[in-house]
Amino acid sequence: MHVPDGFIDAPVSAAAGVVAAGAVAVGLRGARRELDQRTAPLAGLVAAFIFAVQMLNFPVAAGTSGHLLGGALAAILVGPYTGVLCIAVVLLMQGILFADGGLTALGVNITVMGVVTTVVAYALFRGLTRVLPRTRRSTTAAAFVAALVSVPAAALAFTLIYAIGGTTDVPIGKVLTAMVGVHVLIGIGEAAITALTVGAVIAVRPDLVHGARGTGAPLKLRVDGELVDAPAAAPVPVAARSTRKVWAIGLAAALVLAGFVSFYASANPDGLEKVAADKGIDEKVQEHGAADSPLADYGVKDVTDARLSGGLAGVIGVGVTVVVGTGVFWAVRSRRTPDGPDARTTESV
């Protein structure tokens, strides 16, 4: 759903930029409470993983594909404030390096793909986890539903922005029907990817999933024929909770997805591209400001082999995103006051 330059007029694009800047500012402040020395580098990894999975377009209808937006996944894994920042980092890297998503439309993209998806998904996720049993299975199911709803919500948000500042004269009802309809289908893929990823991390390290904290059912013991809560286990030593293995496996998975699996992704236009072409929204689309980038269109300039070119671009993108993202989140983490309400024992990654 990367909006290119020319879909939305300058005043509305500027207004969306102000909204996005405000959301990032709020995210920076809130992320200080969510991040600690263990989770800061993991947030950078989440950004890189989302970058990689966004390269994997999957078919959803005749001639149409979709890809992960990632707001729900980021919010559940690392928290809603940090999640907004993760998506903003991904979109910034995609726009500057890969000419994916317009530069003047960056505010629109952060608002639609980052803020709306994260807020809607996390609010719904939290609502569901409050009424469902506090188990890992319920947490995964809540992640599925939250991710599913977040995608058509983002499509609705784009439609509203287009209704205010669209550069072409297309009946808004047609745009709304087409956008929400195709993105409901894309949402199913988003939900599956999100639930599988969240479920996999919960299975091995539930303590690292922001949305899964406190979901483990207490251990029961039978005493004199009655079930009673077992005594709380002693805290696990910090050294035993190192995140090095999780980080290494996650980064390896992202590199494989972007560097190899992405070659087999669907080549069909994504939901927004298809709707724009069918309805005439793209009549005034503008050339991307970074169209001459050596990595434009997810290929390395002057590398003629398509498989190698795309794979190298994906690996570079993952590497740059994890470095930039980790740097941002470490900087945010370093601004936390050590005696704040959420200060805690830290560890090396």
Side-chain angles (χ1 to χ4, degrees):
M1 200 187 295
H2 294 74
V3 180
D5 297 318
F7 276 23
I8 308 298
D9 63 28
V12 175
S13 294
V18 172
V19 172
V24 169
V26 172
L28 287 169
R29 187 176 183 85
R32 296 176 194 172
R33 299 190 299 270
E34 293 174 343
L35 295 171
D36 57 28
Q37 195 167 342
R38 288 188 307 139
T39 56
L42 290 176
L45 176 62
V46 168
F49 184 79
I50 289 173
F51 173 91
V53 180
Q54 282 195 2
M55 294 182 66
L56 309 180
N57 281 48
F58 48 84
V60 295
T64 309
S65 70
H67 63 72
L68 182 81
L69 298 187
L73 179 61
I76 295 167
L77 288 179
V78 293
Y81 294 103
T82 308
V84 170
L85 299 181
C86 283
I87 304 301
V89 167
V90 171
L91 291 171
L92 184 62
M93 295 300 99
Q94 290 171 333
I96 293 176
L97 297 179
F98 298 92
D100 189 10
L103 297 180
T104 62
L106 182 60
V108 174
N109 284 320
I110 291 176
T111 300
V112 171
M113 296 178 62
V115 179
V116 172
T117 58
T118 301
V119 171
V120 170
Y122 198 73
L124 181 55
F125 174 80
R126 272 304 176 206
L128 289 172
T129 54
R130 286 193 178 100
V131 299
L132 293 173
R134 295 187 64 79
T135 65
R136 296 174 185 177
R137 183 174 298 178
S138 295
T139 301
T140 303
F144 182 95
V145 175
L148 173 62
V149 174
S150 72
V151 178
L156 176 60
F158 167 78
T159 305
L160 292 175
I161 293 174
Y162 175 80
I164 300 170
T167 56
T168 54
D169 186 16
V170 178
I172 194 64
K174 293 184 178 180
V175 177
L176 176 62
T177 301
M179 283 293 294
V180 174
V182 71
H183 283 90
V184 167
L185 299 177
I186 294 173
I188 297 173
E190 176 102 9
I193 294 170
T194 300
L196 287 172
T197 305
V198 170
V201 180
I202 289 178
V204 294
R205 289 295 300 271
D207 59 302
L208 297 179
V209 179
H210 180 90
R213 292 172 183 172
T215 59
L219 178 64
K220 298 286 187 178
L221 296 177
R222 187 173 295 278
V223 179
D224 296 329
E226 295 184 2
L227 288 176
V228 298
D229 291 341
V236 179
V238 168
R241 293 184 280 116
S242 172
T243 60
R244 289 191 183 94
K245 185 175 181 180
V246 173
W247 198 90
I249 293 174
L251 181 60
L255 290 171
V256 170
L257 291 173
F260 177 73
V261 180
S262 63
F263 181 78
Y264 301 97
S266 172
N268 291 330
D270 67 21
L272 177 58
E273 291 173 331
K274 180 65 172 176
V275 171
D278 290 348
K279 305 302 179 183
I281 298 176
D282 60 355
E283 290 180 1
K284 296 185 179 180
V285 67
Q286 301 171 4
E287 184 179 16
H288 199 286
D292 294 330
S293 166
L295 298 173
D297 297 323
Y298 297 94
V300 178
K301 188 176 181 179
D302 298 329
V303 176
T304 57
D305 184 273
R307 185 190 297 266
L308 180 60
S309 178
L312 285 175
V315 168
I316 293 170
V318 168
V320 172
T321 303
V322 77
V323 169
V324 172
T326 302
V328 168
F329 297 122
W330 268 118
V332 172
R333 166 68 184 90
S334 68
R335 293 178 64 85
R336 282 179 54 177
T337 55
D339 56 347
D342 52 351
R344 63 192 69 176
T345 303
T346 58
E347 65 174 277
S348 60
V349 176

